[in-house]
Structures are given as structure tokens and as C-alpha cells.
Amino acid sequence: MHEWALAEAVVATARRFAQEQKLHEVTLIKVRLGELQRIEREIFTAVLQQLLQQEAAPLKSARLSIEIESARFRCRLCAREWSLDETSASPEECEAIHFIPEMAHVYLRCLDCSSPDFEIVQGRGVWLAGLEGM
Amino acid sequence: MDPRSAIIPKRMESVRRIIAVAAGKGGVGKSSIACGLALALHDLGYGVGLLDLDFYGPSAHVILGVREDIRPQEEYGILPPTVDGIKFMSLVYYASEHPVPLRGLDLTNALIELLAITCWGPLDFLIIDMPPGLGEATLDLIRLLPRAEFLVVTTPSRVALATVRKLIELLKQQRVSLLGVLLNMQHADSSSLVISLEVPLLEALPFDPQWEAALGDRARLVRTLVYGRLREVAQKIQKIII
Ligand SMILES: Nc1ncnc2c1ncn2[C@@H]1O[C@H](COP(=O)(O)OP(=O)(O)O)[C@@H](O)[C@H]1O
Ligand SMILES: [Mg+2]
Ligand SMILES: [Zn+2]
């Protein structure tokens, strides 16, 4: 359940943002989960809700919007683009990427030229996409 | 917004001191010293963690002799396994012995992820085995963990001194705490060279023919000359109050 650590990071960042913006209430926290990291939306939502309940005023009643962003890769050598569905990795490799998404460069290769020198264009990991409040 | 950096201070809140073992060049003994110092501090009774941030050339697991099947536990984050009494974290748990070809931004991303998910718990010292030079890891550490104290390693070679001078200048400009210089693989009367660096010389370590053969074996490592000197370094460091 290392998702807990990432959810704590989301809450800490939201708390800091609320302080900086002098918000009395954060009404919505928008999170994007990159497909590459394979974090279950349900698990992440449950953990975030649990953490928010323990929070004080500005964050306590925030609603959550959590979306999965599909992963895209682009080769720096041959410009080939591909998606996560087109790749294959063993369960152990997927687990390594789950903990450190950059391990994609260790276990995934360009589909055309086999280069590890590709860009993770989108869908890497946990991203705080927005906060609404007053 | 990247949420991860905000949690890093919390991950380190029960860590009393963070010591980065750094150098201008590779091969001067950073990893040997980081591991030996971690063992020495542990043997003095302190709670010690060791973090290998040399993603391209991780070595601490080889020096400590970390068994290949050892993996971190997952709880409310990642719990570093305890190796010879030291909490040890490295990317090798995830990359094994495969090459890790990362460009700058990817390296920074992996570093931030590791710092954000690793739960060290209470520690007296977290020793960081740094990659050589002034790249991502050095700049990211100054940015993300500004209270880290730097222990700078050099050999008496003029090429090592020329590069370490640049590292020291950068660290001073960035107002980073400098614990001092360790002169490694010293040969006859080379400590005068270090005086020109204008940073206190903490200790000089000889070239120790026993060291290489002791790698991976704690019982042998602690019988080396290098370990003996690093015990003295550990005693000095515990007295330095930043
Ligand atoms: N004081 C020493 N005596 C003998 N060999 C040493 C000493 N310090 C380092 N070494 C050896 O030098 C090589 C480079 O050391 P290492 O710690 O990996 O350097 P770095 O981390 O700076 O690249 C290794 O083979 C190591 O065993
Ligand atoms: Mg090294
Ligand atoms: Zn390609």
C-alpha cells in the first residue's frame, strides 16, 4: 500500500496551496493518475478520503475527482509513438514501474528500434491537476 | 502540480542529520566511504540509514553485500530493509543489475519518487552515497533537502583536486553546510595539497590493500584500515554541531 505515501503527498500539497491562497474551504481536489504507474483508482480514492477526514477545516469536506490518464511514449531516436497496451512486461517489471515509473526505461523498449531513450509523453504518475475552493 | 516534493520534508522529519558523501569525480571512494561511515556510526550506537543516489553506477549494495532477494516492505510507503543494522535504500531493488538509462528530467523524477515514498522512521544519521559531479542528484539534493551536510571526497591527484574545487565552490555559493574534506588513497605527504581547498581536512585515508577483498563482507570490512579511519571520522562528525 505505498499509495498511502503518494496520497499523503497530494493532501500535503493541497493543504499548502489552501494556506497560500488563504482559502477557507477547498471544495474540489482534482487528481490525475498516470496509467504507467498502475495505481488503482478505487484504492487511491479510498485512501485519499480517509486522509481528508483526518484533516482540519479547509480540506475536510473537499470532493475528489480522480481520472486515469493514458500513458503515451515517444522514441527520441526514431520518433515512434506507442501506448502502454502495446508494451509487455512481466509482473515483477510492472511492480518495479509501479514503485518508480522511470523503471519503464529499464524494462520497456521502443517498439520499432528497441531504444530505451524514449519520452514518457503523458500518463506517468500521480499529478495534482487542480484545486477549487473559496 | 507535482504533489510529491511537499511530502519530502515530512519523510525526513525524524532524521536528525543528513550527510551527503560527494565528489567531483568518480572512483575516488565516495561509495566506500559512505558505506564505511554508515557502519562506523552504527557501531557507535546510532540509528543509521544509507541511501544510494548513484542511479547510473550504484555500488553501496555491493560494498555492504546486500543479498539479491532482499526487497523493501510496503506499508504506508516503502520501508527500507535493514542490512547489517543499517536501513538501506537503493534503486537496485527495482532495477536489479540492469542498466538504468535516464535523462536528466527522468533522473530527477525517479529521485523525487524515491524520496517521497521512502519512510525512514527515526534515524540519527542518513548517509547519502552521491553520484560524481554537479548534475541532477547534487542540484536536486540542494533543492529538496537543503539541510543536508556535505562530506567531500577527493584523492591527492591534481585532476581530482581540480574538479573537487568546483564542487566546493558550488556548495559554498549555495550556502550548503560543508562538513569537510576526506582525502582518500593518500600517499606520502599529500595532505598539504588539500589545504588549498580552504575547507577543513577531516581525515586522510591510506590506500588499503585489504579493502577490495573485504567488499561485501561486513566482518572483514570493519577490520580494515579504512574502517578504522572512518570510525575516527564518525567520532568527529558526532561532535560537529551545525
Ligand atoms: N582507501 C582505499 N583503499 C583501497 N581501495 C579503495 C579505497 N577507497 C576506495 N577504494 C577502491 O576504489 C574503487 C572506487 O571506489 P568507490 O568507493 O566505488 O568510489 P566512487 O564511489 O567515488 O566511485 C573501488 O574499487 C574501491 O574498492
Ligand atoms: Mg560510488
Ligand atoms: Zn525508436
Side-chain angles (χ1 to χ4, degrees), chain B residues 27 30-32 54 57-59 129-132:
Chain B
K30 292 177 297 297
S31 299
S32 302
D54 192 350
S59 309
D129 182 9
M130 296 292 289

Side-chain angles (χ1 to χ4, degrees), chain B residues 60-242:
Chain B
H61 63 293
V62 180
I63 298 173
L64 291 181
V66 179
R67 284 207 337 255
E68 250 174 60
D69 57 335
I70 289 181
R71 289 284 174 279
Q73 295 292 305
E74 208 184 336
E75 208 179 72
Y76 294 103
I78 297 298
L79 303 180
T82 302
V83 178
D84 292 331
I86 292 162
K87 288 188 183 177
F88 177 61
M89 195 62 195
S90 167
L91 220 54
V92 295
Y93 296 133
Y94 306 112
S96 302
E97 292 299 333
H98 300 294
V100 180
L102 299 178
R103 286 185 179 257
L105 276 177
D106 292 321
L107 191 132
T108 288
N109 248 329
L111 191 152
I112 292 176
E113 195 81 23
L114 203 61
L115 292 178
I117 64 176
T118 305
C119 299
W120 292 98
L123 287 181
D124 295 303
F125 292 95
L126 175 63
I127 309 297
I128 306 184
D129 182 9
M130 296 292 289
L134 315 178
E136 273 72 20
T138 303
L139 297 175
D140 284 331
L141 202 69
I142 295 172
R143 177 168 66 101
L144 298 165
L145 296 172
R147 69 184 172 99
E149 306 161 43
F150 276 70
L151 190 60
V152 174
V153 181
T154 184
T155 66
S157 158
R158 277 162 55 203
V159 287
L161 285 164
T163 35
V164 86
R165 193 166 276 129
K166 300 186 176 77
L167 173 64
I168 290 171
E169 185 176 335
L170 174 82
L171 295 175
K172 282 186 171 169
Q173 279 169 0
Q174 299 306 306
R175 290 186 203 81
V176 172
S177 306
L178 265 170
L179 276 174
V181 170
L182 287 183
L183 179 63
N184 193 23
M185 306 193 236
Q186 182 199 29
H187 46 73
D189 196 34
S190 47
S191 31
S192 60
L193 285 170
V194 176
I195 294 169
S196 66
L197 295 174
E198 293 171 19
V199 176
L201 174 64
L202 265 188
E203 189 67 58
L205 287 72
F207 182 87
D208 180 351
Q210 307 298 318
W211 181 257
E212 183 68 29
L215 295 182
D217 183 346
R218 194 217 151 104
R220 288 181 73 180
L221 287 173
V222 299
R223 290 199 303 268
T224 59
L225 268 170
V226 166
Y227 175 82
R229 291 293 166 86
L230 289 173
R231 227 181 132 94
E232 284 166 36
V233 174
Q235 271 153 353
K236 288 179 189 166
I237 286 176
Q238 67 178 350
K239 291 190 196 123
I240 298 176
I241 297 160
I242 298 288

Side-chain angles (χ1 to χ4, degrees), chain A residues 1-2 4-6 8-10 12-13 17 37 76 96 99-100 102-103 105-107 116-117 124 126-128, chain B residues 1-4 6-7 10-11 74-78 91 94-95 98-99 101-103 106 109-110 113-114 117:
Chain A
M1 268 295 279
H2 97 291
W4 186 273
L6 294 169
E8 275 185 331
V10 169
T13 307
F17 181 85
Q37 197 165 21
R76 288 196 173 95
F99 289 115
I100 309 283
E102 282 60 43
M103 293 297 101
H105 296 285
V106 176
Y107 299 115
D117 186 12
R124 176 200 174 272
V126 178
W127 193 252
L128 186 53
Chain B
M1 223 181 317
D2 184 347
R4 299 169 299 161
I7 203 71
K10 185 173 177 226
R11 298 280 174 258
E74 208 184 336
E75 208 179 72
Y76 294 103
I78 297 298
L91 220 54
Y94 306 112
H98 300 294
L102 299 178
R103 286 185 179 257
D106 292 321
N109 248 329
E113 195 81 23
L114 203 61
I117 64 176

